[in-house]
Amino acid sequence: MKLKYSLILLASAAFASCQDFLDRYPLEEPASSEFYSNEDELTLAVNGAYRSLYWLSNDDVPYQLFIDGATDIVYIRGTYANMTDMRRGEGSAETATFKTIWDTFYGYIARCNNLLDNMHNARGRVSETFYNRIEAQARFLRAYNYFYLVNLYGDVPFAEHVLDWQQPRLPKSPKAEIVARLYADLDFAKDHLPAKWTGNDAGRATRGAAFGLKARIALYANDYETAAAAADSVIQSKAYEIYPSYEKLFRHSGAGSSEAMLYMPFLLGTQTNQIPKYVGTRLANCYSIIVPTQVLVDMYQCTDGRRIDRSPAYDPKKPYENRDPRLGYSILYPGQWHAGYKFEVHPDSTKTSAVINGETVRINNTEVTNAYGTFTGYIEKKYYDESDVPGKITQCELNFMLMRYAEVLLTYAEARIELNRIDQSVIDAINAVRQRKDVMMPAATLSMSRDELRELVRYERTIELAMEGFRLLDIRRWKIVEHVLPGYMLGKRTKADWYTPVVPAFSDYGKPEYPDESIFQKLGFASFNRDIQYSWPIPQAEIDRNPLLKD
């Protein structure tokens, strides 16, 4: 049975996770005295731990797509995942999403610890190589879960073993201490995982993924030495390369490419996702729920490598021309064709064009006439493959990438810039991303100053990784949350000012600022709340159970 089946099907049936991980012993676990004693049982157990990769909403939409809704680059209609409240600084320790996410990660950590605590039963019964690879995968997956916990919540309880049911409560451990323990897990993992899995094992964590996760954890801990070294190990391995087409990277053809280092697999009959339903246009019978913002659109440079307020190539009457090609590959903007429909959002565009049975016809434009069409005037194109038949909108098999080589290159470049160790390797890393064959933005050069390179690599992280779940944690570690989130979320233009040319200015923190925001519909005001927007509060229900979690 292939790993894709194993991860999705077997794991969901085995090893029920401990939802109240910090409060009680997982009584549902198999008898440790008998289990974990042979290759089949260890494989089943580690496949259960791989469920860690499936951080999903109720409709099987990856939370990475929702979490950008807590930032300036994505708007989420309604109350989905409470992200709009978080962006506005309105959450609290009672917010349900905080507890749901907390329980999810600790539940998966419990699975990993259960395996690690009991796999000794198999010593002498399986080969040392097999045994070490099982342990390496479990430690990798535990580190993956802790990465999110420490970066979303800050200091949290750290458990490396299944808790004693008589003394289940743990105090918080400082983030720095947890990070050091995660390094140890990932060092073990990289020493025992293969560079590549083959056959039925393809898709498991690799040595490169272990280095990549270590680089990511270190970058978010501002440990630039470790981040640069770990990222460089991935680069020097030459195991990965940039996929030539950004446009196709997030379709079936690119999802399993040599750029994908770790991914969330989906398969019809076992587990599918509804990403297209949430991001797609109403014209394609989708919901237009998770949508890009005007701020994100205006962040894309012009083809000369300059911001739109600085570039002579920018024409506010034709705002989508002469722009970084990733804009058109990532975001559906007015006038584009997608999924057989012409996307138009002007209030008077109650009709639009569609290709039906090979002919172009006029149809009702539900993206305008439906009250729940896109509120920003844009649609996300990532992870919507137009080749999928309509039925795949709610049963999508497109893998979701959790780590890709472009991120590692940008981590290496940023870490070296922050260390002020700028050489040609830094420039090459940036340009490998920036000059993908179907992107070809102007190259970075060694003549650029450190501040210019820092601004450029932050631009690349924002644009290259847009709508992939990195923005919230990036603006936190860059310490710019209070400078980019407060204010109104801007929706579609008002009808009276639909065609009014406007060129935003940009703040020192890269935020587009408009001379007259009244030309836009308003989608809610965000206030800065450090207690929510720099780290999420530990759920009150957990504090009530465990007083050691109080500040």
Side-chain angles (χ1 to χ4, degrees):
M1 179 175 288
K2 292 184 178 181
L3 177 65
K4 181 175 278 194
Y5 285 95
S6 301
L7 299 192
I8 300 170
L9 184 61
L10 294 179
S12 62
F15 304 107
S17 66
C18 172
Q19 292 302 308
D20 296 324
F21 177 69
L22 298 180
D23 187 55
R24 59 186 178 86
Y25 188 83
L27 300 177
E28 305 94 331
E29 70 172 357
S32 59
S33 61
E34 301 295 334
F35 210 71
Y36 308 100
S37 60
N38 57 51
E39 284 195 6
D40 288 342
E41 290 172 354
L42 290 182
T43 298
L44 182 64
V46 81
N47 287 346
Y50 268 100
R51 288 298 299 179
S52 299
L53 302 184
Y54 291 86
W55 183 24
L56 297 169
S57 71
N58 291 338
D59 289 324
D60 296 334
V61 178
Y63 255 98
Q64 285 87 347
L65 292 177
F66 283 109
I67 200 169
D68 274 343
T71 77
D72 52 340
I73 67 171
V74 165
Y75 176 74
I76 297 177
R77 174 171 59 79
T79 59
Y80 293 93
N82 294 119
M83 292 300 167
T84 296
D85 289 344
M86 296 174 202
R87 176 181 58 80
R88 295 174 180 174
E90 296 175 354
S92 73
E94 302 285 355
T95 299
T97 296
F98 294 147
K99 187 174 190 309
T100 297
I101 292 173
W102 176 279
D103 288 347
T104 295
F105 288 122
Y106 274 116
Y108 288 141
I109 288 166
R111 292 188 184 193
C112 296
N113 285 341
N114 201 31
L115 170 57
L116 291 167
D117 280 357
N118 293 291
M119 63 181 293
H120 60 82
N121 291 336
R123 279 201 179 277
R125 300 180 181 182
V126 302
S127 72
E128 183 177 359
T129 297
F130 181 87
Y131 186 93
N132 287 337
R133 285 187 175 183
I134 293 292
E135 181 177 353
Q137 291 171 82
R139 291 174 72 167
F140 172 91
L141 293 165
R142 182 171 63 187
Y144 178 84
N145 284 278
Y146 271 119
F147 163 77
Y148 279 107
L149 280 168
V150 298
N151 284 288
L152 290 174
Y153 298 91
D155 299 343
V156 298
F158 183 68
E160 289 183 297
H161 302 281
V162 174
L163 297 184
D164 184 340
W165 68 272
Q166 293 180 316
Q167 294 182 329
R169 295 176 175 84
L170 292 176
K172 292 187 289 185
S173 294
K175 176 180 176 180
E177 291 183 10
I178 296 175
V179 166
R181 303 296 285 273
L182 302 186
Y183 289 168
D185 274 345
L186 294 170
D187 286 342
F188 181 91
K190 59 92 172 170
D191 287 340
H192 295 285
L193 291 174
K196 183 178 181 180
W197 294 89
T198 59
N200 293 342
D201 288 320
R204 296 185 184 276
T206 61
R207 182 181 305 135
F211 275 120
L213 182 56
K214 185 176 181 180
R216 181 189 291 181
I217 290 170
L219 184 70
Y220 284 104
N222 298 323
D223 179 2
Y224 301 120
E225 289 278 4
T226 301
D232 190 50
S233 294
V234 177
I235 295 169
Q236 297 306 318
S237 74
K238 302 187 185 303
Y240 308 95
E241 60 184 3
I242 291 294
Y243 189 65
S245 175
Y246 193 84
E247 181 179 21
K248 297 178 181 178
L249 180 61
F250 305 96
R251 301 179 187 175
H252 292 289
S253 56
S257 71
S258 57
E259 183 166 341
M261 298 175 62
L262 185 70
Y263 55 84
M264 186 188 301
F266 293 96
L267 187 67
L268 188 65
T270 50
Q271 182 158 354
T272 56
N273 68 69
Q274 294 196 43
I275 296 174
K277 190 73 172 180
Y278 277 68
V279 304
T281 173
R282 285 277 171 179
L283 291 163
N285 197 32
C286 300
Y287 290 153
S288 304
I289 288 173
I290 306 172
V291 293
T293 65
Q294 185 67 51
V295 161
L296 176 58
V297 169
D298 287 342
M299 286 180 178
Y300 286 82
Q301 294 175 347
C302 288
T303 50
D304 60 7
R306 300 178 183 179
R307 285 190 329 217
I308 61 175
D309 63 327
R310 296 173 177 171
S311 173
Y314 181 67
D315 182 353
K317 294 181 180 180
K318 300 176 182 178
Y320 312 115
E321 295 184 3
N322 303 319
R323 303 292 293 279
D324 185 328
R326 288 171 291 188
L327 170 59
Y329 300 152
S330 303
I331 297 175
L332 182 62
Y333 55 73
Q336 283 184 304
W337 283 80
H338 191 251
Y341 302 94
K342 188 174 183 182
F343 183 64
E344 299 288 358
V345 291
H346 187 282
D348 290 338
S349 298
T350 57
K351 298 281 187 179
T352 192
S353 299
V355 176
I356 299 177
N357 297 325
E359 295 185 5
T360 302
V361 298
R362 298 290 286 174
I363 63 168
N364 290 328
N365 186 5
T366 50
E367 197 57 65
V368 169
T369 59
N370 190 294
Y372 299 108
T374 170
F375 280 25
T376 64
Y378 303 102
I379 292 289
E380 180 177 337
K381 293 172 75 173
K382 286 184 174 181
Y383 293 106
Y384 189 118
D385 192 321
E386 295 176 83
S387 69
D388 278 341
V389 298
K392 290 296 184 72
I393 290 174
T394 56
Q395 292 185 315
C396 182
E397 298 179 277
L398 181 55
N399 295 342
F400 185 85
M401 283 183 283
L402 300 169
M403 182 188 300
R404 56 189 181 93
Y405 187 47
E407 178 206 345
V408 172
L409 290 168
L410 294 175
T411 293
Y412 175 78
E414 182 174 358
R416 292 286 296 254
I417 291 167
E418 294 306 322
L419 291 168
N420 203 19
R421 296 178 188 165
I422 300 167
D423 58 15
Q424 190 59 44
S425 69
V426 173
I427 304 304
D428 292 344
I430 296 172
N431 289 339
V433 177
R434 192 165 169 80
Q435 296 201 301
R436 194 188 299 261
K437 286 185 178 179
D438 67 348
V439 175
M440 293 306 295
M441 289 293 288
T445 67
L446 272 174
S447 64
M448 298 174 72
S449 70
R450 184 186 183 197
D451 285 343
E452 288 173 326
L453 288 170
R454 178 185 287 122
E455 181 179 345
L456 183 59
V457 81
R458 290 187 180 189
Y459 167 81
E460 285 299 320
R461 283 193 68 90
T462 302
I463 297 307
E464 173 72 21
L465 305 177
M467 300 171 291
E468 296 180 46
F470 291 92
R471 179 66 172 171
L472 178 63
L473 301 186
D474 277 347
I475 62 176
R476 283 180 174 183
R477 67 186 177 87
W478 292 335
K479 306 299 182 185
I480 63 172
V481 173
E482 60 266 46
H483 302 293
V484 299
L485 289 192
Y488 284 104
M489 174 69 77
L490 303 178
K492 291 186 289 189
R493 293 281 196 101
T494 61
K495 182 176 178 179
D497 287 294
W498 196 266
Y499 298 109
T500 301
V502 60
V503 180
F506 283 74
S507 73
D508 293 339
Y509 305 95
K511 179 181 180 178
E513 297 178 334
Y514 304 90
D516 183 4
E517 290 189 350
S518 69
I519 69 173
F520 297 97
Q521 299 175 27
K522 305 297 194 303
L523 301 176
F525 187 83
S527 298
F528 175 61
N529 182 346
R530 182 172 294 276
D531 293 337
I532 296 296
Q533 291 166 328
Y534 267 107
S535 65
W536 290 349
I538 292 176
Q540 187 60 48
E542 297 299 326
I543 296 173
D544 292 343
R545 292 189 185 102
N546 180 7
L548 296 176
L549 299 180
K550 291 181 179 179
D551 291 330

